[in-house]
Amino acid sequence: MSTLDYASLESSSKWKNLPTPPGFPKSVSSKTSSKTREGLSPESYDALKDKRAWDTAIGPAKSLPMQGFMLYMSGSGVQIFSIGIVFMLLMNPFKNIAGMNAAFAQFAPTASKNPQALTVLPLQKIVYVLCNLLTLAVGLWKCRGMGLLPIGKGDWLAFETRGPPPELVFA
């Protein structure tokens, strides 16, 4: 049984003398990435965090066209695929709203003492909740289209009380 010696392949590689591809630096090190981070001023870093917070806030609305297409393709029948999509549309907004403070903690300004407080980035969090409520509304609309929501008068007949039959009423 023979063993492979990879160290000898590294020193005599025919690919070692190839030029670097256009747009790539000669040597990539972790020191250059730390220099660029240190070079940013706190104001520009907070502005970048604010922009990323807005991207996260409108993220649920960006996924609505794809979810709408999935709802369209699943049809209006009650099958396992359409039930799975509706379940996802109804549960994800609640999960997202429950973890909202943790999702926005990484975008808190550097001056904030508690990044997971509800008062940090309030406008972005309001937009995030509204976008998740829009996703929830699409899920409820699909439930209505599938006939799973009791919105008609016939859906509530079991709870109506009956009066006495007209032929037994004595005046």
Side-chain angles (χ1 to χ4, degrees):
M1 181 176 220
S2 64
T3 60
L4 293 174
D5 183 21
Y6 292 112
S8 65
L9 293 175
E10 188 69 32
S11 63
S12 65
S13 175
K14 63 181 179 180
W15 309 108
K16 192 173 185 177
N17 297 327
L18 283 178
T20 58
F24 286 90
K26 288 247 183 223
S27 65
V28 178
S29 67
S30 61
K31 292 180 182 179
T32 58
S33 63
S34 65
K35 284 181 185 177
T36 57
R37 177 174 269 185
E38 291 171 4
L40 287 176
S41 68
E43 295 83 21
S44 64
Y45 193 58
D46 283 344
L48 181 64
K49 282 183 173 182
D50 190 52
K51 183 179 178 193
R52 293 295 173 207
W54 277 112
D55 288 343
T56 302
I58 61 171
K62 287 181 180 178
S63 65
L64 276 180
M66 178 53 87
Q67 290 172 345
F69 179 71
M70 287 173 23
L71 289 176
Y72 171 74
M73 292 304 289
S74 69
S76 62
V78 181
Q79 296 110 7
I80 190 70
F81 184 68
S82 57
I83 292 293
I85 292 173
V86 167
F87 182 74
M88 174 195 66
L89 279 174
L90 295 178
M91 289 305 295
N92 281 347
F94 293 112
K95 288 180 188 176
N96 290 343
I97 292 171
M100 177 177 58
N101 288 332
F104 283 95
Q106 60 185 343
F107 306 119
T110 53
S112 66
K113 296 193 183 344
N114 186 6
Q116 289 199 2
L118 194 59
T119 57
V120 175
L121 302 170
L123 194 57
Q124 287 92 338
K125 288 180 180 181
I126 290 170
V127 170
Y128 187 70
V129 168
L130 290 176
C131 289
N132 277 300
L133 290 178
L134 185 63
T135 303
L136 184 66
V138 170
L140 290 174
W141 174 76
K142 179 64 174 181
C143 284
R144 182 192 144 278
M146 291 171 62
L148 298 177
L149 287 181
I151 55 173
K153 187 175 180 181
D155 295 329
W156 299 99
L157 289 178
F159 301 108
E160 288 186 4
T161 58
R162 293 184 179 178
E167 59 269 2
L168 295 179
V169 176
F170 299 105

